[in-house]
Amino acid sequence: MRLATRYNGTPDGELVVISADGDRCVPAGSRWPSLLAAIEAWDEAEIALRAMDAETGEILHPSRLRAPLPRSWQWLDGSAFQTHADLMQVAFGTERIEHDKPLMYQGLSDRFLGPYEPVPFPDEAHGIDFEGEFAVVVDRVPMGTGATDAMDHIKLLLQVNDWSLRALAVPEMKTGFGWIQAKPACSMAPYAVTPDALGDAWRDGRVCLDLAIDWNGERFGDANGREMAYGFHELVAHAAATRDLVAGTIIGSGTVANANYAEVGSSCISERRAIEIIAHGKPATGFMRYGDTCRMEARTADGRSIFGAIEQQIVDARINDN
Amino acid sequence: MRLATRYNGTPDGELVVISADGDRCVPAGSRWPSLLAAIEAWDEAEIALRAMDAETGEILHPSRLRAPLPRSWQWLDGSAFQTHADLMQVAFGTERIEHDKPLMYQGLSDRFLGPYEPVPFPDEAHGIDFEGEFAVVVDRVPMGTGATDAMDHIKLLLQVNDWSLRALAVPEMKTGFGWIQAKPACSMAPYAVTPDALGDAWRDGRVCLDLAIDWNGERFGDANGREMAYGFHELVAHAAATRDLVAGTIIGSGTVANANYAEVGSSCISERRAIEIIAHGKPATGFMRYGDTCRMEARTADGRSIFGAIEQQIVDARINDN
């Protein structure tokens, strides 16, 4: 099952169920006005939503789509790809992180940008970078839930662009407090999907899809989600060790990266810069400029688009007063 | 004006306006069902709430009070007291943090515990500690708002206990990603107050009140909120540098600490341990045990309680299934 959220003038938007071909949709109705409302009573909502007939529904106008969750109560982003961690250490010029648990930070969750929204940044000099990721949405997870049980709490999968400001990232990281200024709002691809929609591409708590990333229309990366050092269920358990996770909590994978990056490329600019540093002693690729575009779309081995595509342009926040 | 939130079976609770003596209250009514709803339209809400007559209202039953904001979309906690930062460096055995901006992390905001709720923790060995703080609530703050303009966005003041698990804090801090497991849900004192309720104890964006802290009935600290290296308006501007702040965003001061700690004591156990390390080479005071209580109450120079008191007991989360 694939779900999306349409603009309707409310902060949480209108939940719709999407047809198999993605061309049609049916509004979930007043019992399930938003995806946030549905995930808060998922056992009941899932049955009701699966019974709805999207195949004969109305035409879906992509321009009306928002992020599946335009806001949620909690966003916890992991960094589960070891290749990403290794390359970021080179890009940032920082020490190797020695930690026997998953890496995770809490980011802003009061706003997720829709797949086609312009992305406002206050300064090009901040080192504007994209980060292609996958994420999961859980229902309520009680404190102390282990990884095996956590798997059952994963109700939906998402594709996310975790926008990052690299020039601000290292000074914030060195405080140990994590990122505030370096991590503005993330963007989401149009569809939230149940794990079964991936078939065997959802396995071991990992989204085993290639994530095609284009920067200004040129292919930048096509890494696969399978190489997570920790599965999503383990990230959920990590997050729930000392807190109950509220229904609607979103947990991210961190930037998708593969050991064979020479073949598949990268899911963020910083990684490419790290690869250039390793090869030539210094980075050659700059960060994004106003007007640049970024497109991200995950596909199955047989070419089906699962989450739809994020297609955004970055803009000057000082001009584009949103 | 002082506001509180009563239990009514909804996640956000029922907003009430409190009488001058704190004994009576009047429900804000269906237009302003919760404090979160009010802060989202504060200009209108403030006028309406100030016009309500709490003096002839119903008797206020403290046991029905929840946190003024039982949840909100964002909680950003600063660390603005230099004395606290200096002592935590000793307590943690970490390097001095060199940073020319305020220190700040994003914490969980989907749940704030009420002033009298038991506080569940999964393991005494995690080093359970309290942190007495002040905090502000802002309306919507556009990205790029400077400190002077930020002052006008501070609509309410709060008193907070930022519960911390010290044994988990240092390893998480060393990752640079900030705290997840080390920072479970915070607690709030009963009343959210408008800045004018403090008179001249609200000045330079600082809550200049003594914060009396009792651990198991014995006075532990009585530090004053005035010694922040950055005022709350500067913390708000810092947070808003690269993001819009959603209405209802809560910004914390970090643990209240004074340079004359030998006289006034501390607002967290870790500081006392640091003072013991400085004096004797090792800490003598242990962290909290199940069954321990912590009371926090800020008072004016003439003895008035502004936010009411937090009075909580910590419990074993494995027994107390909440």
Side-chain angles (χ1 to χ4, degrees):
Chain A
M1 180 168 60
R2 298 198 296 172
L3 303 169
T5 295
R6 286 199 302 200
Y7 179 83
N8 69 347
T10 70
D12 298 306
E14 178 193 38
L15 176 61
V16 296
V17 184
I18 304 296
S19 67
D21 63 7
D23 290 341
R24 292 180 179 273
C25 69
V26 60
S30 60
R31 177 69 184 88
W32 313 106
S34 68
L35 185 51
L36 193 56
I39 198 72
E40 288 171 350
W42 186 250
D43 288 350
E44 188 189 344
E46 183 175 15
I47 293 168
L49 296 171
R50 284 188 188 274
M52 293 180 187
D53 179 16
E55 303 307 320
T56 60
E58 26 184 308
I59 299 294
L60 179 70
H61 298 286
S63 63
R64 288 187 59 195
L65 292 178
R66 303 183 59 188
L69 281 168
R71 62 180 182 176
S72 193
W73 294 107
Q74 187 163 239
W75 159 239
L76 301 172
D77 196 12
S79 179
F81 291 87
Q82 190 59 46
T83 298
H84 176 68
D86 292 344
L87 289 172
M88 289 309 290
Q89 179 196 336
V90 174
F92 281 170
T94 47
E95 306 262 306
R96 184 179 174 85
I97 298 169
E98 302 294 347
H99 197 54
D100 59 359
K101 297 177 179 177
L103 297 171
M104 187 174 285
Y105 75 92
Q106 180 144 11
L108 79 89
S109 63
D110 58 270
R111 188 178 181 187
F112 288 91
L113 299 172
Y116 320 119
E117 273 189 77
V119 189
F121 293 109
D123 193 342
E124 282 182 336
H126 287 165
I128 302 165
D129 200 356
F130 46 82
E131 287 198 339
E133 307 197 2
F134 297 112
V136 301
V137 185
V138 295
D139 65 356
R140 181 178 180 277
V141 181
M143 187 193 298
T145 298
T148 304
D149 292 337
M151 191 73 94
D152 293 332
H153 289 284
I154 297 174
K155 303 304 184 185
L156 293 165
L157 311 178
L158 300 168
Q159 181 195 311
V160 170
N161 184 352
D162 175 32
W163 292 103
S164 298
L165 301 174
R166 300 305 190 186
L168 305 175
V170 178
E172 287 195 329
M173 199 172 178
K174 286 187 174 168
T175 68
F177 280 56
W179 300 287
I180 301 291
Q181 296 186 345
K183 292 285 189 182
C186 300
S187 306
M188 287 183 182
Y191 308 133
V193 309
T194 49
D196 62 281
L198 268 64
D200 63 4
W202 171 248
R203 56 179 187 272
D204 303 327
R206 289 152 172 92
V207 177
C208 304
L209 299 175
D210 292 334
L211 180 57
I213 296 183
D214 299 323
W215 177 15
N216 290 335
E218 289 188 20
R219 180 58 41 93
F220 189 85
D222 204 13
N224 190 286
R226 80 172 73 84
E227 290 181 26
M228 288 168 76
Y230 297 94
F232 275 112
H233 55 309
E234 294 167 296
L235 299 184
V236 172
H238 175 78
T242 61
R243 63 177 73 176
D244 298 318
L245 302 184
V246 65
T249 292
I250 308 165
I251 308 250
S253 66
T255 308
V256 174
N258 293 164
N260 65 336
Y261 53 74
E263 293 150 52
V264 301
S266 301
S267 303
C268 72
I269 297 171
S270 282
E271 282 189 29
R272 179 180 281 187
R273 289 166 58 90
I275 295 163
E276 291 165 348
I277 290 170
I278 292 166
H280 311 295
K282 60 179 185 182
T285 306
F287 290 107
M288 295 184 85
R289 310 296 299 264
Y290 292 138
D292 280 8
T293 61
C294 182
R295 187 180 195 282
M296 298 186 171
E297 186 174 29
R299 288 183 176 277
T300 57
D302 59 352
R304 285 179 299 122
S305 176
I306 296 291
F307 301 98
I310 300 176
E311 297 189 74
Q312 293 180 299
Q313 185 173 43
I314 67 169
V315 296
D316 187 338
R318 294 164 298 188
I319 296 170
N320 182 67
D321 187 20
N322 58 113
Chain B
M1 180 168 59
R2 299 197 296 174
L3 303 169
T5 296
R6 285 199 303 200
Y7 180 83
N8 69 347
T10 69
D12 298 305
E14 177 194 40
L15 176 60
V16 295
V17 183
I18 303 296
S19 65
D21 64 6
D23 291 340
R24 293 180 177 272
C25 69
V26 59
S30 60
R31 175 70 185 89
W32 313 106
S34 68
L35 185 52
L36 193 56
I39 197 71
E40 288 171 350
W42 186 251
D43 288 349
E44 188 189 343
E46 184 177 14
I47 293 168
L49 296 171
R50 283 190 189 273
M52 293 179 186
D53 179 16
E55 303 307 321
T56 59
E58 22 182 312
I59 298 294
L60 179 70
H61 298 287
S63 63
R64 287 186 61 194
L65 292 179
R66 303 183 61 189
L69 282 168
R71 61 179 182 178
S72 194
W73 296 106
Q74 188 163 239
W75 159 238
L76 301 171
D77 196 12
S79 179
F81 290 88
Q82 190 58 47
T83 298
H84 176 68
D86 292 345
L87 290 172
M88 289 308 291
Q89 179 195 335
V90 175
F92 281 171
T94 47
E95 306 261 306
R96 185 178 173 85
I97 298 169
E98 302 293 347
H99 198 52
D100 58 0
K101 295 176 180 178
L103 297 171
M104 188 174 284
Y105 75 94
Q106 181 144 12
L108 79 86
S109 64
D110 59 270
R111 186 176 183 189
F112 288 91
L113 300 172
Y116 320 118
E117 276 189 76
V119 189
F121 293 108
D123 193 342
E124 282 183 338
H126 286 165
I128 302 166
D129 199 356
F130 45 82
E131 288 198 338
E133 306 198 1
F134 296 111
V136 301
V137 186
V138 295
D139 64 357
R140 181 178 181 277
V141 181
M143 185 192 299
T145 298
T148 304
D149 291 338
M151 191 74 91
D152 294 332
H153 290 283
I154 297 173
K155 302 303 185 186
L156 293 166
L157 310 178
L158 299 169
Q159 182 196 311
V160 170
N161 184 352
D162 176 33
W163 292 103
S164 297
L165 301 173
R166 302 304 190 186
L168 305 174
V170 177
E172 289 195 328
M173 200 172 178
K174 286 186 174 169
T175 68
F177 280 56
W179 300 287
I180 300 292
Q181 296 185 345
K183 292 285 190 183
C186 302
S187 306
M188 287 183 183
Y191 308 133
V193 309
T194 49
D196 63 282
L198 268 64
D200 62 4
W202 171 249
R203 57 178 187 270
D204 303 328
R206 290 152 172 91
V207 176
C208 302
L209 298 175
D210 292 336
L211 180 57
I213 297 182
D214 299 324
W215 177 15
N216 290 336
E218 289 188 20
R219 181 59 40 91
F220 189 84
D222 204 14
N224 190 285
R226 79 173 74 86
E227 290 182 26
M228 289 169 75
Y230 297 94
F232 276 111
H233 55 307
E234 294 168 295
L235 298 183
V236 173
H238 176 78
T242 62
R243 64 178 69 177
D244 299 316
L245 302 185
V246 66
T249 293
I250 307 164
I251 309 251
S253 65
T255 307
V256 174
N258 293 164
N260 65 335
Y261 53 75
E263 293 150 52
V264 299
S266 301
S267 303
C268 72
I269 298 171
S270 283
E271 282 188 29
R272 177 180 283 188
R273 289 166 58 90
I275 294 163
E276 291 164 349
I277 290 170
I278 292 167
H280 311 294
K282 62 179 185 183
T285 306
F287 290 107
M288 295 183 85
R289 309 297 299 265
Y290 293 137
D292 281 8
T293 60
C294 181
R295 187 180 195 280
M296 298 185 171
E297 184 175 30
R299 288 185 177 271
T300 57
D302 59 352
R304 286 179 298 123
S305 175
I306 295 291
F307 302 99
I310 301 176
E311 297 188 73
Q312 294 181 299
Q313 184 173 45
I314 68 168
V315 297
D316 187 338
R318 295 164 297 186
I319 296 170
N320 181 66
D321 187 20
N322 58 113

